[in-house]
Amino acid sequence: MKEYKETLYTSIRKSTSDLAFYSAGYEKCEPGYSYGPRYRSYQLIHFVLKGKGELHINEHTFQLAEGDAFIIPSDKISYYKASEEDPWCYVWISFLGIDSENYIYQLMTGLDDIYIVHNVDIEKYKELIFKILEFQGKDISRYFYANSLLNQIMAYLFEEIPFEENQRKQNSAADEVKFYLDVNYAEKLVLKDVAKEFGVHPNYMTRIFHEKFGTSPKKYLMDLKLKKACHLLTTTSLSIGVIAGSLGFDDQLAFSRIFRKEFGEAPSRYRKKERKEEA
């Protein structure tokens, strides 16, 4: 693995900038190599140079190959794994900033597969990231140079993705609400605040969502959280408290109470049972 991480300025200072480079790297994976589940405080984009692998994020699973890029927004739990037969190698770049989340979500609204950009011109991203990996030292010139290359990468992505400022208006309100829940399900969302975000009354939001998807936003959100909880319980060793916190529950007791009501057993018992059945 090769990595260059900018350490001249603190993460706090970077996070208050508009857009600030954090790190870049290259990884040639061994068969079956995996990373996560984990969440980060920065935005992260990988570009697959060769081989294959899979990404798990927000209850979505994606099979990826050469020419694909995958976006991991900050504070979202993700897990990715190289193919056993044809393990991938990739480059990545990460960044912070006040507007970094907004830029990431703007990119995602233009995608057919949420989080995934297909058929990118991989060589130009590789070239820019490899320039960063050649850096020596941590002086201020490297900081500005890394940020200029980050801006080039973002410019290229917005050129490749058919994003338009009025694109959100072209989608139905129900689709927009669902996308918002898919991306932000780990937050402590209050549905009346979600409705306010889209400039509609909560009752109207519930009605159009139910008409489109056959369920209410509240139930969809809770089902999404519980599905993710089941996945984390069976595939990770994260504590019940960490899982509860990462999914936006008030505390472990509240999570356990809701989980027991839905599945008829405590999260710890569910974990033991599922792992025993897989053995």
Side-chain angles (χ1 to χ4, degrees):
M1 182 186 79
K2 297 180 181 179
E3 183 178 26
Y4 178 84
K5 186 174 290 186
E6 201 290 308
T7 58
L8 184 63
Y9 296 114
T10 65
S11 295
I12 294 176
R13 178 168 178 177
K14 292 188 182 105
S15 66
T16 58
S17 303
D18 173 56
L19 186 69
F21 172 83
Y22 181 67
S23 71
Y26 165 81
E27 181 83 62
K28 184 177 181 181
C29 298
E30 296 294 326
Y33 171 81
S34 63
Y35 193 82
R38 65 165 295 185
Y39 58 88
R40 303 165 177 82
S41 59
Y42 48 84
Q43 319 299 335
L44 179 63
I45 305 176
H46 288 70
F47 301 90
V48 182
L49 306 180
K50 292 182 180 179
K52 298 177 181 179
E54 63 182 28
L55 168 70
H56 300 264
I57 183 170
N58 275 26
E59 280 306 307
H60 300 275
T61 299
F62 301 97
Q63 302 299 320
L64 304 170
E66 178 179 342
D68 290 334
F70 58 98
I71 298 170
I72 301 177
S74 62
D75 297 324
K76 307 304 175 192
I77 297 176
S78 64
Y79 167 83
Y80 42 98
K81 180 180 179 181
S83 164
E84 295 282 356
E85 296 77 24
D86 185 15
W88 57 13
C89 65
Y90 48 69
V91 289
W92 76 84
I93 190 162
S94 64
F95 48 95
L96 299 159
I98 295 172
D99 283 332
S100 64
E101 183 177 69
N102 183 46
Y103 294 142
I104 282 290
Y105 289 165
Q106 284 180 329
L107 285 172
M108 290 166 63
T109 60
L111 301 176
D112 292 328
D113 281 341
I114 185 174
Y115 305 113
I116 310 301
V117 191
H118 294 292
N119 302 315
V120 299
D121 184 352
I122 209 70
E123 286 301 318
K124 63 185 180 184
Y125 298 103
K126 175 184 176 182
E127 180 181 352
L128 292 173
I129 291 175
F130 269 44
K131 284 183 179 180
I132 298 174
L133 297 179
E134 293 171 359
F135 287 175
Q136 300 292 326
K138 307 291 182 180
D139 58 60
I140 194 167
S141 66
R142 296 291 181 268
Y143 172 75
F144 284 112
Y145 193 26
N147 275 281
S148 71
L149 295 172
L150 166 63
N151 278 287
Q152 274 190 266
I153 288 171
M154 296 301 289
Y156 284 152
L157 282 169
F158 273 103
E159 284 179 347
E160 294 207 48
I161 295 172
F163 171 79
E164 298 177 5
E165 290 296 334
N166 64 349
Q167 188 160 353
R168 286 183 176 269
K169 298 177 183 178
Q170 297 171 2
N171 296 330
S172 73
D175 288 325
E176 292 298 326
V177 171
K178 181 178 181 296
F179 178 84
Y180 187 89
L181 297 180
D182 283 341
V183 172
N184 295 286
Y185 75 93
E187 308 298 328
K188 293 182 179 180
L189 296 178
V190 178
L191 290 178
K192 68 177 182 180
D193 293 335
V194 176
K196 185 177 180 180
E197 179 80 15
F198 291 96
V200 298
H201 192 278
N203 292 343
Y204 174 76
M205 182 182 74
T206 298
R207 179 171 63 81
I208 62 170
F209 193 95
H210 194 281
E211 288 175 354
K212 181 80 182 273
F213 301 109
T215 187
S216 69
K218 182 177 181 179
K219 188 174 189 309
Y220 178 83
L221 178 61
M222 185 54 65
D223 287 347
L224 194 59
K225 288 176 181 284
L226 291 174
K227 286 178 183 178
K228 188 63 176 180
C230 290
H231 178 73
L232 292 174
L233 287 167
T234 56
T235 61
T236 78
S237 57
L238 294 172
S239 70
I240 306 298
V242 169
I243 291 174
S246 69
L247 295 173
F249 289 95
D250 290 333
D251 53 47
Q252 181 175 336
L253 290 176
F255 165 65
S256 296
R257 183 173 63 252
I258 294 170
F259 191 95
R260 184 189 293 273
K261 182 178 179 181
E262 179 69 21
F263 297 104
E265 56 189 354
S268 56
R269 183 177 177 81
Y270 176 90
R271 168 179 269 170
K272 290 179 182 178
K273 184 186 73 174
E274 292 298 314
R275 288 186 171 180
K276 184 177 181 181
E277 290 178 356
E278 291 177 1

